[in-house]
Amino acid sequence: MFKKVMSLALASTLVLSAGAFAASAAEAEDAVAANDESAVAADDSSAVAAGDESQVGAGTKIYFDVKSAGWKNFSKIYCHVWRADGTGKWPSWQTKKEVCKKESDDLYSYDITKTGNAEEIQNAGSKNLYCVIFSADTQLQIYNTIMNGNCIGDTLYVTGNKIENPKDSSKTDTEAAWKNHPECGPQKVITSTSKVVGTALADGTTDVTLLADYLLDYVSDDGTADTSKTDKTQDLINQLKISPLAVMSNVNFKLEGFVKEETMTQDVANKKKATIEGILGNCTDPTKGGEKVNKDEINNAEAKNDAADTSGSSNGGSSNSGSSSNGSSSNGSSSGSNSVQSGQETTIFFVFAGVMVAAAGVFFLVRRREN
């Protein structure tokens, strides 16, 4: 009789233990699911909040006074924003992401969150890293205008002046300016017809770098100069009031960079360098009263960057910051999930150990009773 009772007790213990084992496992799984759902919910809610409430329409708009432009018979106004150095990913010309909102008959707004780079622009502060163009669907547009982070909330208006399009001299664009940020006016460049237009330099550029880029553009890889352009070098030096030696130093700096980045061979760099040395070696220096330059100094010019690479450092900082933030968030979520799984495994181990101890105890009593 006792043997049967013990057998029944053993069976009951095993059943109860198995139930506890299953319940514990289910509880642990529920904890994991709850943790994952909470994480997802938190991520979704924060993303929605940041996208729909914190950013959109809250200090992320720039404005255009369309009345000052005198544009008529248009149906849409667009805003094109890009990095002045040509880096990064930005919306294409007059696509859906560039459509502006009508605030009134005279005023249109553009939310820079549509560019996908709002945080970068906001963090730029007073650095003149960006360009902006407002345009209509009637092929009318303003001239390239420099923008920095402080321009957010400001309004662009048309001054009435006309500027030659830098790439297509057959076209003229309307000059625009910011109402409260005069340092961010029309972008200063050298046009395809060798004219200096605009007043505001993008960060990372100077009058010296403008001419250095101009010469590099119009001397081919085999060292042949486009004389219709390069013959204007002295006129440009006089307009910009810069030293030919400083220009050669910057040309050398840029050529060394191209070779190092493997975007140009050393042979091509040498040919361009020799031709540009010849061009600048025949110029006079307005910074020294118009005296003839020393050709030996030109031929032995030290490679030197005339402008701090602010654009590159800013872009790198933004990228690194974003990478760090994403990595931290990902690691935190992963760590939380692992801690719950670890707890589940520990609970299962102790329940199983309890079952084995109980079974051993019952078995011991049965054997003892039989003996």
Side-chain angles (χ1 to χ4, degrees):
M1 180 67 181
F2 180 76
K3 191 173 182 179
K4 290 182 179 180
V5 171
M6 287 298 100
S7 297
L8 181 59
L10 175 60
S12 299
T13 300
L14 290 172
V15 170
L16 291 173
S17 299
F21 177 92
S24 178
E27 182 180 323
E29 288 176 1
D30 288 343
V32 173
N35 182 75
D36 290 344
E37 288 175 4
S38 297
V40 171
D43 287 344
D44 289 346
S45 63
S46 62
V48 171
D52 293 345
E53 296 175 12
S54 301
Q55 292 181 341
V56 177
T60 56
K61 288 184 178 181
I62 55 176
Y63 299 86
F64 178 57
D65 182 353
V66 73
K67 183 180 179 181
S68 67
W71 296 348
K72 299 182 183 300
N73 302 319
F74 60 84
S75 58
K76 288 182 180 179
I77 296 294
Y78 298 89
C79 181
H80 186 60
V81 179
W82 73 100
R83 236 177 183 272
D85 63 5
T87 60
K89 186 176 180 180
W90 303 83
S92 300
W93 178 260
Q94 291 195 346
T95 51
K96 186 177 180 180
K97 287 185 177 181
E98 294 197 339
V99 176
C100 296
K101 178 183 177 182
K102 183 177 181 180
E103 300 286 347
S104 68
D105 288 341
D106 300 337
L107 193 68
Y108 279 74
S109 68
Y110 180 68
D111 195 322
I112 62 170
T113 58
K114 290 183 177 182
T115 67
N117 299 289
E119 184 178 357
E120 176 190 320
I121 297 172
Q122 290 170 319
N123 291 340
S126 61
K127 294 179 180 178
N128 295 347
L129 298 176
Y130 310 94
C131 288
V132 57
I133 293 177
F134 279 95
S135 64
D137 54 4
T138 54
Q139 297 187 343
L140 294 171
Q141 67 178 67
I142 64 171
Y143 175 73
N144 304 5
T145 308
I146 293 294
M147 181 179 77
N148 60 35
N150 295 335
C151 292
I152 297 172
D154 204 352
T155 301
L156 269 174
Y157 68 95
V158 169
T159 65
N161 298 327
K162 295 290 185 179
I163 295 180
E164 179 183 312
N165 185 291
K167 301 298 182 183
D168 187 351
S169 60
S170 66
K171 298 179 181 179
T172 56
D173 298 330
T174 303
E175 182 187 78
W178 297 97
K179 288 187 175 181
N180 301 303
H181 293 86
E183 77 280 9
C184 295
Q187 184 183 20
K188 190 173 187 179
V189 298
I190 301 175
T191 71
S192 59
T193 58
S194 309
K195 294 177 183 176
V196 178
V197 298
T199 57
L201 287 162
D203 271 27
T205 64
T206 67
D207 289 341
V208 167
T209 67
L210 291 184
L211 187 55
D213 287 334
Y214 176 87
L215 292 172
L216 288 167
D217 285 343
Y218 292 113
V219 173
S220 65
D221 288 354
D222 64 0
T224 302
D226 180 350
T227 55
S228 67
K229 310 295 184 183
T230 59
D231 283 353
K232 307 287 180 61
T233 300
Q234 183 66 67
D235 291 338
L236 290 168
I237 286 174
N238 292 340
Q239 286 184 63
L240 297 169
K241 296 180 175 60
I242 54 178
S243 162
L245 181 60
V247 175
M248 194 64 233
S249 292
N250 195 242
V251 166
N252 288 338
F253 174 82
K254 290 177 181 292
L255 288 173
E256 286 187 1
F258 296 149
V259 172
K260 185 176 181 179
E261 295 164 5
E262 298 184 348
T263 56
M264 182 181 292
T265 65
Q266 187 64 60
D267 181 57
V268 169
N270 291 341
K271 289 176 179 178
K272 281 181 173 280
K273 172 183 167 69
T275 300
I276 295 173
E277 284 176 346
I279 294 169
L280 294 172
N282 290 316
C283 291
T284 57
D285 189 345
T287 67
K288 295 183 177 180
E291 71 177 44
K292 192 78 173 176
V293 300
N294 185 317
K295 290 187 178 182
D296 289 336
E297 289 183 350
I298 292 291
N299 294 340
N300 296 291
E302 179 185 0
K304 182 180 178 182
N305 187 11
D306 191 69
D309 192 10
T310 53
S311 58
S313 62
S314 174
N315 187 40
S318 173
S319 176
N320 292 339
S321 174
S323 175
S324 174
S325 173
N326 292 338
S328 174
S329 173
S330 174
N331 292 339
S333 174
S334 174
S335 175
S337 175
N338 288 339
S339 66
V340 173
Q341 291 175 0
S342 176
Q344 177 185 356
E345 291 166 0
T346 303
T347 301
I348 290 171
F349 172 79
F350 281 114
V351 169
F352 184 71
V355 171
M356 294 302 294
V357 170
V362 172
F363 179 75
F364 174 76
L365 290 173
V366 170
R367 292 287 296 172
R368 184 178 181 182
R369 180 64 178 168
E370 286 178 348
N371 292 335

